[in-house]
Amino acid sequence: MAKVPAAVVAAGGLVGGYGVARWTRRRELGGVVLAAAGAAAAQQWKRQAGGKAAGALTATYVAAFAGSHPLAKKVGAWPAVLGVAGAVALASWAVSDRRG
C-alpha cells in the first residue's frame, strides 16, 4: 500500500478539521480531526526526519492553526485555512517528505 506523504496528512488535517467544524457546527469534532491528523503527521516526521524536525514541524502545524484565525479576519476563512495548509505542506515536504 502506498504511503500518504506527511505533507498531505498535515494539510488535510487543517482543511478537514475546519471543514468538519464548519459543516457539523461542532468545533470539538473539528478539533479531533485536527489533532488526529497532526499526531499522524508528527509520527511520520519523526520517522523520516528525526525528533528535532518533527518538533519544529509540529510547532509549525500548531502555529498555522492559530495563525489562521486572525488571517481569516483579513482574507476570509477558507482562503486563510487553505493558505496555512499550503504553507505547512510546503514546510513538511522541504524538511521531511522529500527525504523519504
Side-chain angles (χ1 to χ4, degrees):
M1 186 165 160
K3 181 178 72 168
V4 177
V8 174
V9 174
L14 289 162
V15 173
Y18 174 69
V20 167
R22 180 166 178 145
W23 290 316
T24 65
R25 297 177 192 222
R26 302 282 310 265
R27 293 177 74 176
E28 63 275 9
L29 293 179
V32 168
V33 172
L34 180 80
Q43 286 180 337
Q44 269 188 268
W45 291 328
K46 186 174 182 183
R47 196 169 43 252
Q48 291 176 328
K52 273 186 156 178
L57 287 167
T58 300
T60 301
Y61 184 79
V62 172
F65 167 70
S68 69
H69 292 81
L71 183 59
K73 292 179 182 178
K74 296 179 188 268
V75 300
W78 277 112
V81 170
L82 294 174
V84 300
V88 168
L90 182 61
S92 176
W93 177 81
V95 173
S96 177
D97 291 336
R98 71 179 172 158
R99 296 176 181 211

Coordinates of all heavy atoms in Angstrom, one line a residue:
M1 N 0.8 -1.2 0.0 CA 0.0 0.0 0.0 C 0.9 1.2 0.0 O 1.8 1.3 0.8 CB -0.9 0.0 1.2 CG -1.9 1.1 1.3 SD -3.1 0.7 2.5 CE -3.8 2.2 2.8
A2 N 0.6 2.2 -0.8 CA 1.4 3.4 -0.9 C 1.2 4.3 0.3 O 0.1 4.4 0.9 CB 1.0 4.2 -2.2
K3 N 2.3 4.9 0.7 CA 2.3 5.7 1.9 C 1.8 7.2 1.5 O 2.2 7.7 0.5 CB 3.7 5.8 2.5 CG 3.8 6.7 3.7 CD 5.2 6.7 4.3 CE 6.0 7.5 3.3 NZ 7.4 7.8 3.8
V4 N 0.9 7.7 2.3 CA 0.5 9.1 2.1 C 1.5 10.0 2.7 O 1.9 9.9 3.8 CB -0.9 9.3 2.8 CG1 -1.3 10.8 2.6 CG2 -1.9 8.4 2.2
P5 N 2.0 11.0 1.9 CA 3.0 11.9 2.4 C 2.5 12.7 3.6 O 1.3 13.1 3.7 CB 3.3 12.8 1.2 CG 2.9 12.1 0.0 CD 1.7 11.2 0.5
A6 N 3.4 13.0 4.5 CA 3.0 13.7 5.7 C 2.5 15.1 5.4 O 1.7 15.6 6.1 CB 4.2 13.8 6.7
A7 N 3.0 15.7 4.3 CA 2.5 17.0 3.8 C 1.0 16.9 3.5 O 0.3 17.8 3.9 CB 3.3 17.4 2.6
V8 N 0.6 15.8 2.9 CA -0.8 15.7 2.6 C -1.6 15.5 3.9 O -2.7 16.0 4.0 CB -1.0 14.5 1.6 CG1 -2.5 14.2 1.4 CG2 -0.3 14.8 0.3
V9 N -1.1 14.7 4.8 CA -1.8 14.4 6.1 C -2.0 15.7 6.9 O -3.1 16.0 7.4 CB -1.0 13.3 6.9 CG1 -1.7 13.2 8.3 CG2 -1.0 12.0 6.2
A10 N -0.9 16.5 7.0 CA -0.9 17.7 7.7 C -1.9 18.7 7.1 O -2.7 19.3 7.8 CB 0.5 18.3 7.9
A11 N -1.8 18.9 5.8 CA -2.7 19.9 5.1 C -4.1 19.4 5.2 O -5.0 20.2 5.4 CB -2.2 20.1 3.7
G12 N -4.3 18.1 5.0 CA -5.6 17.5 5.2 C -6.2 17.7 6.5 O -7.4 17.9 6.7
G13 N -5.4 17.7 7.6 CA -5.9 17.9 8.9 C -6.3 19.3 9.2 O -7.4 19.5 9.8
L14 N -5.6 20.2 8.6 CA -6.0 21.6 8.8 C -7.3 21.9 8.0 O -8.3 22.5 8.5 CB -4.9 22.6 8.3 CG -3.7 22.6 9.2 CD1 -2.5 23.2 8.5 CD2 -4.0 23.4 10.5
V15 N -7.3 21.5 6.7 CA -8.5 21.7 5.9 C -9.7 20.9 6.4 O -10.8 21.4 6.6 CB -8.2 21.4 4.4 CG1 -9.5 21.5 3.6 CG2 -7.2 22.4 3.9
G16 N -9.4 19.6 6.7 CA -10.5 18.7 7.2 C -11.0 19.1 8.5 O -12.3 19.1 8.8
G17 N -10.2 19.5 9.4 CA -10.6 20.0 10.7 C -11.5 21.2 10.6 O -12.6 21.2 11.3
Y18 N -11.1 22.1 9.8 CA -12.0 23.3 9.6 C -13.3 22.9 9.0 O -14.4 23.3 9.4 CB -11.3 24.4 8.8 CG -12.3 25.5 8.5 CD1 -12.7 26.4 9.5 CD2 -12.8 25.7 7.2 CE1 -13.6 27.4 9.3 CE2 -13.6 26.8 7.0 CZ -14.1 27.6 8.0 OH -15.0 28.6 7.8
G19 N -13.2 22.1 7.9 CA -14.5 21.7 7.2 C -15.4 20.9 8.1 O -16.6 21.2 8.2
V20 N -14.9 20.0 8.9 CA -15.8 19.3 9.9 C -16.4 20.2 10.9 O -17.6 20.1 11.2 CB -15.0 18.1 10.5 CG1 -15.7 17.6 11.7 CG2 -14.7 17.0 9.5
A21 N -15.6 21.1 11.4 CA -16.1 22.1 12.4 C -17.2 22.9 11.8 O -18.2 23.2 12.4 CB -15.0 22.9 13.0
R22 N -17.0 23.4 10.6 CA -17.9 24.3 10.0 C -19.2 23.6 9.6 O -20.3 24.1 9.8 CB -17.3 24.9 8.7 CG -18.2 25.9 8.1 CD -17.5 26.7 7.1 NE -18.5 27.6 6.4 CZ -18.2 28.8 6.0 NH1 -17.0 29.3 6.3 NH2 -19.1 29.5 5.4
W23 N -19.1 22.4 9.0 CA -20.3 21.7 8.5 C -21.1 21.0 9.6 O -22.3 20.9 9.4 CB -19.9 20.7 7.4 CG -19.5 21.5 6.1 CD1 -20.1 22.6 5.6 CD2 -18.3 21.2 5.3 NE1 -19.4 23.0 4.5 CE2 -18.3 22.2 4.3 CE3 -17.3 20.3 5.4 CZ2 -17.3 22.2 3.3 CZ3 -16.3 20.3 4.4 CH2 -16.3 21.3 3.4
T24 N -20.5 20.6 10.6 CA -21.2 20.0 11.7 C -21.6 21.0 12.8 O -22.4 20.7 13.6 CB -20.4 18.9 12.4 OG1 -19.2 19.5 13.0 CG2 -20.0 17.8 11.4
R25 N -21.0 22.2 12.8 CA -21.2 23.2 13.8 C -20.8 22.7 15.2 O -21.3 23.1 16.2 CB -22.6 23.7 13.8 CG -23.0 24.4 12.5 CD -24.4 24.8 12.4 NE -24.6 25.2 11.0 CZ -25.3 26.2 10.7 NH1 -25.8 27.0 11.5 NH2 -25.5 26.5 9.4
R26 N -19.8 21.8 15.2 CA -19.3 21.2 16.4 C -17.8 21.4 16.3 O -17.1 20.6 15.7 CB -19.6 19.7 16.5 CG -21.1 19.4 16.5 CD -21.8 19.6 17.8 NE -21.2 19.1 18.9 CZ -21.5 17.9 19.5 NH1 -22.4 17.1 18.9 NH2 -20.8 17.5 20.5
R27 N -17.3 22.4 17.0 CA -15.8 22.8 16.9 C -15.0 21.6 17.5 O -13.9 21.4 17.0 CB -15.6 24.0 17.7 CG -16.2 25.3 17.0 CD -16.0 26.5 17.8 NE -14.6 26.9 17.7 CZ -14.1 28.0 18.2 NH1 -14.8 28.8 18.9 NH2 -12.8 28.3 18.0
E28 N -15.5 20.9 18.5 CA -14.7 19.8 19.1 C -14.5 18.7 18.1 O -13.5 18.0 18.1 CB -15.4 19.3 20.4 CG -16.7 18.7 20.2 CD -17.9 19.7 20.3 OE1 -17.7 20.9 20.2 OE2 -19.0 19.2 20.3
L29 N -15.5 18.4 17.2 CA -15.2 17.4 16.2 C -14.1 17.8 15.2 O -13.3 17.0 14.8 CB -16.5 17.1 15.4 CG -17.7 16.5 16.2 CD1 -18.9 16.3 15.3 CD2 -17.2 15.2 16.8
G30 N -14.1 19.1 14.8 CA -13.0 19.6 14.0 C -11.7 19.5 14.7 O -10.7 19.2 14.1
G31 N -11.7 19.7 16.0 CA -10.5 19.6 16.8 C -10.0 18.1 16.8 O -8.8 17.9 16.8
V32 N -10.9 17.2 16.8 CA -10.5 15.8 16.8 C -9.8 15.5 15.5 O -8.7 14.8 15.5 CB -11.7 14.8 17.0 CG1 -11.4 13.4 16.7 CG2 -12.2 15.0 18.4
V33 N -10.4 15.9 14.4 CA -9.7 15.7 13.1 C -8.4 16.4 13.0 O -7.4 15.8 12.6 CB -10.7 16.3 11.9 CG1 -9.9 16.2 10.6 CG2 -11.9 15.5 11.9
L34 N -8.3 17.6 13.5 CA -7.1 18.4 13.5 C -6.0 17.7 14.3 O -4.9 17.5 13.9 CB -7.3 19.8 14.1 CG -6.1 20.7 14.2 CD1 -5.8 21.3 12.8 CD2 -6.4 21.8 15.2
A35 N -6.4 17.2 15.5 CA -5.4 16.6 16.4 C -5.0 15.2 15.9 O -3.8 14.9 15.9 CB -6.0 16.4 17.8
A36 N -5.9 14.4 15.3 CA -5.5 13.1 14.8 C -4.6 13.2 13.6 O -3.6 12.5 13.5 CB -6.8 12.3 14.4
A37 N -4.9 14.1 12.7 CA -4.0 14.3 11.6 C -2.6 14.9 12.0 O -1.6 14.4 11.5 CB -4.6 15.2 10.5
G38 N -2.6 15.8 13.0 CA -1.4 16.3 13.5 C -0.5 15.2 14.1 O 0.7 15.2 13.9
A39 N -1.1 14.4 14.9 CA -0.4 13.3 15.5 C 0.1 12.3 14.5 O 1.3 11.8 14.6 CB -1.3 12.5 16.5
A40 N -0.7 12.0 13.5 CA -0.2 11.1 12.4 C 0.9 11.7 11.6 O 2.0 11.0 11.3 CB -1.4 10.7 11.5
A41 N 0.8 13.0 11.3 CA 1.9 13.6 10.6 C 3.2 13.7 11.4 O 4.3 13.5 10.9 CB 1.5 15.0 10.2
A42 N 3.0 14.0 12.7 CA 4.2 14.1 13.6 C 4.9 12.7 13.7 O 6.2 12.7 13.7 CB 3.7 14.5 15.0
Q43 N 4.2 11.6 13.7 CA 4.9 10.3 13.7 C 5.7 10.1 12.4 O 6.8 9.6 12.5 CB 3.8 9.2 13.8 CG 3.3 9.1 15.2 CD 2.2 8.0 15.3 OE1 1.7 7.5 14.3 NE2 2.0 7.5 16.5
Q44 N 5.1 10.5 11.3 CA 5.8 10.4 10.1 C 7.0 11.3 10.0 O 8.1 10.9 9.6 CB 4.9 10.7 8.9 CG 4.2 9.5 8.3 CD 3.5 9.9 7.0 OE1 2.3 10.2 7.1 NE2 4.2 9.8 5.9
W45 N 6.9 12.5 10.5 CA 8.0 13.5 10.5 C 9.1 12.9 11.4 O 10.3 13.0 11.0 CB 7.5 14.8 11.1 CG 6.6 15.6 10.2 CD1 6.6 15.5 8.8 CD2 5.6 16.5 10.6 NE1 5.6 16.4 8.3 CE2 4.9 16.9 9.4 CE3 5.1 16.9 11.8 CZ2 3.9 17.8 9.4 CZ3 4.0 17.8 11.8 CH2 3.4 18.3 10.6
K46 N 8.8 12.4 12.5 CA 9.8 11.8 13.4 C 10.6 10.6 12.7 O 11.8 10.5 12.8 CB 9.2 11.4 14.7 CG 10.3 10.9 15.7 CD 9.7 10.6 17.1 CE 10.8 10.3 18.0 NZ 10.3 9.9 19.3
R47 N 9.8 9.8 12.1 CA 10.4 8.6 11.4 C 11.3 9.0 10.3 O 12.3 8.5 10.0 CB 9.3 7.7 11.0 CG 9.7 6.3 10.6 CD 8.5 5.3 10.4 NE 7.4 5.9 9.6 CZ 6.2 6.2 10.2 NH1 6.0 6.0 11.4 NH2 5.2 6.6 9.4
Q48 N 10.8 10.0 9.5 CA 11.6 10.4 8.3 C 12.7 11.4 8.5 O 13.7 11.4 7.8 CB 10.6 11.0 7.3 CG 9.6 10.0 6.7 CD 8.6 10.6 5.8 OE1 8.2 11.8 5.9 NE2 8.2 9.9 4.8
A49 N 12.5 12.3 9.5 CA 13.5 13.4 9.6 C 14.0 13.6 11.0 O 14.9 14.4 11.2 CB 12.8 14.7 9.2
G50 N 13.6 12.8 12.0 CA 14.1 12.9 13.4 C 13.3 13.7 14.3 O 12.3 14.4 13.8
G51 N 13.6 13.7 15.5 CA 12.8 14.3 16.6 C 12.8 15.8 16.5 O 11.8 16.5 16.7
K52 N 14.0 16.4 16.3 CA 14.0 17.9 16.2 C 13.2 18.4 15.1 O 12.4 19.4 15.2 CB 15.5 18.4 16.0 CG 16.3 18.6 17.2 CD 17.6 19.1 16.9 CE 18.2 19.9 18.0 NZ 19.5 20.4 17.8
A53 N 13.3 17.8 13.9 CA 12.5 18.3 12.8 C 11.0 18.0 13.0 O 10.2 18.9 12.7 CB 12.9 17.5 11.5
A54 N 10.7 16.9 13.7 CA 9.3 16.6 14.0 C 8.7 17.7 15.0 O 7.6 18.2 14.8 CB 9.1 15.2 14.6
G55 N 9.5 18.0 15.9 CA 9.1 19.1 16.9 C 8.9 20.4 16.2 O 7.9 21.1 16.5
A56 N 9.8 20.8 15.3 CA 9.7 22.1 14.6 C 8.4 22.0 13.7 O 7.7 23.0 13.6 CB 10.9 22.3 13.8
L57 N 8.2 20.9 13.0 CA 7.1 20.9 12.1 C 5.7 20.8 12.9 O 4.7 21.4 12.4 CB 7.2 19.6 11.2 CG 8.2 19.8 10.1 CD1 8.5 18.5 9.4 CD2 7.8 20.8 9.0
T58 N 5.8 20.2 14.0 CA 4.6 20.1 14.9 C 4.3 21.6 15.4 O 3.1 22.0 15.4 CB 4.7 19.2 16.0 OG1 4.9 17.9 15.5 CG2 3.5 19.2 16.9
A59 N 5.3 22.3 15.7 CA 5.1 23.7 16.2 C 4.6 24.5 15.0 O 3.7 25.4 15.2 CB 6.4 24.3 16.7
T60 N 5.0 24.2 13.8 CA 4.6 24.9 12.6 C 3.1 24.6 12.4 O 2.3 25.5 12.1 CB 5.4 24.6 11.4 OG1 6.8 24.9 11.6 CG2 4.9 25.2 10.1
Y61 N 2.7 23.4 12.5 CA 1.3 23.0 12.4 C 0.4 23.7 13.4 O -0.6 24.2 13.0 CB 1.3 21.5 12.6 CG -0.1 20.8 12.4 CD1 -0.5 20.5 11.1 CD2 -0.9 20.4 13.5 CE1 -1.8 19.9 10.9 CE2 -2.1 19.8 13.3 CZ -2.5 19.5 12.0 OH -3.7 18.9 11.8
V62 N 0.8 23.7 14.6 CA 0.0 24.4 15.7 C 0.0 25.9 15.4 O -1.1 26.6 15.5 CB 0.6 24.1 17.1 CG1 -0.1 24.9 18.1 CG2 0.4 22.6 17.4
A63 N 1.1 26.5 15.0 CA 1.1 27.9 14.7 C 0.3 28.3 13.5 O -0.4 29.3 13.5 CB 2.6 28.4 14.5
A64 N 0.2 27.4 12.5 CA -0.6 27.6 11.4 C -2.1 27.6 11.7 O -2.9 28.5 11.3 CB -0.3 26.5 10.3
F65 N -2.5 26.7 12.6 CA -3.8 26.6 13.1 C -4.2 27.9 13.8 O -5.2 28.5 13.5 CB -4.0 25.4 14.0 CG -5.3 25.5 14.8 CD1 -6.5 25.3 14.2 CD2 -5.3 25.7 16.2 CE1 -7.7 25.4 14.9 CE2 -6.5 25.7 16.9 CZ -7.7 25.6 16.2
A66 N -3.3 28.3 14.7 CA -3.6 29.5 15.5 C -3.6 30.8 14.6 O -4.4 31.7 14.7 CB -2.5 29.7 16.6
G67 N -2.6 30.8 13.7 CA -2.5 32.0 12.8 C -3.6 32.1 11.8 O -3.9 33.2 11.2
S68 N -4.3 31.0 11.5 CA -5.4 31.1 10.5 C -6.6 31.9 11.0 O -7.3 32.5 10.2 CB -5.9 29.6 10.1 OG -6.5 29.0 11.2
H69 N -6.7 32.0 12.3 CA -7.8 32.7 12.9 C -7.7 34.2 12.6 O -8.6 34.8 12.1 CB -8.0 32.4 14.4 CG -8.4 31.0 14.7 ND1 -7.5 29.9 14.6 CD2 -9.6 30.5 14.9 CE1 -8.2 28.8 14.9 NE2 -9.5 29.1 15.0
P70 N -6.6 34.9 13.0 CA -6.5 36.3 12.7 C -6.4 36.6 11.2 O -6.9 37.6 10.7 CB -5.3 36.8 13.4 CG -4.5 35.6 13.8 CD -5.5 34.4 13.8
L71 N -5.8 35.6 10.4 CA -5.7 35.8 9.0 C -7.1 35.7 8.4 O -7.4 36.5 7.4 CB -4.8 34.7 8.4 CG -4.6 34.7 6.9 CD1 -3.9 36.1 6.5 CD2 -3.7 33.6 6.5
A72 N -8.0 34.9 8.9 CA -9.3 34.8 8.4 C -10.1 36.1 8.5 O -11.0 36.4 7.6 CB -10.1 33.7 9.1
K73 N -9.8 36.9 9.4 CA -10.5 38.2 9.6 C -10.1 39.1 8.4 O -10.8 40.1 8.1 CB -10.2 38.8 10.9 CG -10.8 38.1 12.1 CD -10.5 38.7 13.4 CE -11.1 37.8 14.5 NZ -10.8 38.3 15.8
K74 N -8.9 38.9 7.8 CA -8.4 39.8 6.8 C -8.8 39.2 5.4 O -9.1 40.0 4.5 CB -6.9 39.9 6.9 CG -6.5 40.6 8.1 CD -5.0 40.8 8.2 CE -4.5 41.3 9.5 NZ -4.4 42.7 9.6
V75 N -8.7 37.9 5.2 CA -8.9 37.4 3.8 C -10.1 36.4 3.7 O -10.4 36.0 2.6 CB -7.6 36.6 3.3 CG1 -6.5 37.6 3.3 CG2 -7.3 35.4 4.2
G76 N -10.7 36.1 4.8 CA -11.8 35.1 4.8 C -11.4 33.8 5.3 O -10.2 33.4 5.3
A77 N -12.3 33.0 5.8 CA -12.0 31.7 6.4 C -11.3 30.7 5.5 O -10.2 30.2 5.8 CB -13.2 31.1 7.1
W78 N -12.0 30.4 4.4 CA -11.4 29.3 3.5 C -10.1 29.7 3.0 O -9.1 28.9 3.0 CB -12.4 28.9 2.4 CG -13.4 27.9 2.9 CD1 -14.7 28.1 3.1 CD2 -13.1 26.6 3.3 NE1 -15.3 26.9 3.6 CE2 -14.3 26.0 3.7 CE3 -12.0 25.8 3.4 CZ2 -14.4 24.7 4.1 CZ3 -12.1 24.5 3.8 CH2 -13.3 23.9 4.2
P79 N -9.9 31.0 2.5 CA -8.6 31.4 2.0 C -7.5 31.3 3.1 O -6.4 30.8 2.8 CB -8.7 32.8 1.5 CG -10.2 32.9 1.1 CD -10.9 32.0 2.2
A80 N -7.8 31.6 4.3 CA -6.9 31.5 5.4 C -6.5 30.1 5.6 O -5.3 29.8 5.8 CB -7.4 32.2 6.6
V81 N -7.5 29.2 5.7 CA -7.2 27.8 6.0 C -6.4 27.2 4.9 O -5.4 26.5 5.1 CB -8.5 27.0 6.3 CG1 -8.3 25.5 6.3 CG2 -9.2 27.5 7.5
L82 N -6.8 27.4 3.7 CA -6.1 26.9 2.5 C -4.6 27.4 2.4 O -3.7 26.7 2.1 CB -6.8 27.2 1.2 CG -8.2 26.4 1.1 CD1 -8.9 26.9 -0.2 CD2 -8.0 24.9 1.1
G83 N -4.5 28.7 2.8 CA -3.1 29.3 2.8 C -2.2 28.7 3.8 O -1.1 28.3 3.5
V84 N -2.7 28.5 5.0 CA -1.8 28.0 6.1 C -1.6 26.5 5.8 O -0.5 26.0 6.1 CB -2.3 28.2 7.5 CG1 -2.4 29.7 7.8 CG2 -3.6 27.5 7.8
A85 N -2.6 25.8 5.3 CA -2.4 24.4 4.9 C -1.3 24.2 3.9 O -0.5 23.3 3.9 CB -3.7 23.8 4.5
G86 N -1.3 25.1 2.9 CA -0.3 25.1 1.8 C 1.1 25.3 2.4 O 2.1 24.7 2.0
A87 N 1.2 26.3 3.3 CA 2.4 26.6 3.9 C 3.0 25.4 4.8 O 4.2 25.1 4.7 CB 2.3 27.8 4.8
V88 N 2.1 24.8 5.5 CA 2.5 23.6 6.3 C 2.9 22.4 5.4 O 3.9 21.8 5.6 CB 1.4 23.2 7.3 CG1 1.7 21.8 7.9 CG2 1.2 24.2 8.4
A89 N 2.2 22.2 4.3 CA 2.5 21.2 3.4 C 3.9 21.4 2.7 O 4.7 20.5 2.6 CB 1.5 21.1 2.3
L90 N 4.2 22.7 2.4 CA 5.4 23.0 1.8 C 6.6 22.8 2.8 O 7.6 22.2 2.4 CB 5.4 24.5 1.3 CG 6.7 25.0 0.6 CD1 7.0 24.2 -0.6 CD2 6.6 26.4 0.3
A91 N 6.4 23.2 4.0 CA 7.4 23.0 5.1 C 7.6 21.5 5.3 O 8.8 21.1 5.4 CB 7.0 23.7 6.4
S92 N 6.6 20.8 5.3 CA 6.7 19.3 5.5 C 7.5 18.7 4.4 O 8.3 17.8 4.6 CB 5.3 18.7 5.6 OG 5.4 17.3 5.7
W93 N 7.1 19.0 3.2 CA 7.8 18.5 2.0 C 9.3 18.8 2.1 O 10.2 18.0 1.9 CB 7.2 19.0 0.7 CG 8.0 18.5 -0.4 CD1 7.9 17.3 -1.0 CD2 9.0 19.2 -1.1 NE1 8.8 17.2 -2.1 CE2 9.5 18.3 -2.2 CE3 9.6 20.4 -1.0 CZ2 10.5 18.7 -3.0 CZ3 10.6 20.8 -1.9 CH2 11.0 19.9 -2.9
A94 N 9.6 20.1 2.4 CA 11.0 20.6 2.4 C 11.8 19.9 3.5 O 13.0 19.6 3.2 CB 11.0 22.1 2.5
V95 N 11.2 19.7 4.6 CA 12.0 19.2 5.8 C 12.0 17.6 5.8 O 13.0 17.0 6.2 CB 11.5 19.8 7.1 CG1 12.1 19.1 8.3 CG2 11.7 21.3 7.1
S96 N 10.9 17.1 5.5 CA 10.7 15.6 5.7 C 10.4 14.8 4.5 O 11.1 13.8 4.2 CB 9.6 15.4 6.7 OG 9.3 14.1 7.0
D97 N 9.4 15.1 3.8 CA 8.9 14.2 2.7 C 9.8 14.0 1.5 O 9.9 12.9 1.0 CB 7.5 14.7 2.2 CG 6.4 14.6 3.2 OD1 6.5 13.7 4.1 OD2 5.4 15.3 3.1
R98 N 10.6 15.0 1.2 CA 11.4 14.8 0.0 C 12.6 13.9 0.3 O 13.3 13.4 -0.5 CB 12.0 16.2 -0.5 CG 12.9 16.9 0.3 CD 13.4 18.2 -0.3 NE 14.2 19.0 0.6 CZ 15.0 19.9 0.3 NH1 15.2 20.1 -1.0 NH2 15.7 20.5 1.2
R99 N 12.9 13.7 1.6 CA 13.9 12.8 2.0 C 13.5 11.3 1.9 O 14.3 10.4 1.7 CB 14.3 13.0 3.5 CG 14.9 14.4 3.8 CD 15.1 14.5 5.2 NE 15.7 15.8 5.5 CZ 16.5 16.0 6.5 NH1 16.9 15.0 7.4 NH2 17.0 17.2 6.8
G100 N 12.2 11.2 2.2 CA 11.7 9.8 2.3 C 11.1 9.3 1.0 O 11.0 8.3 0.6

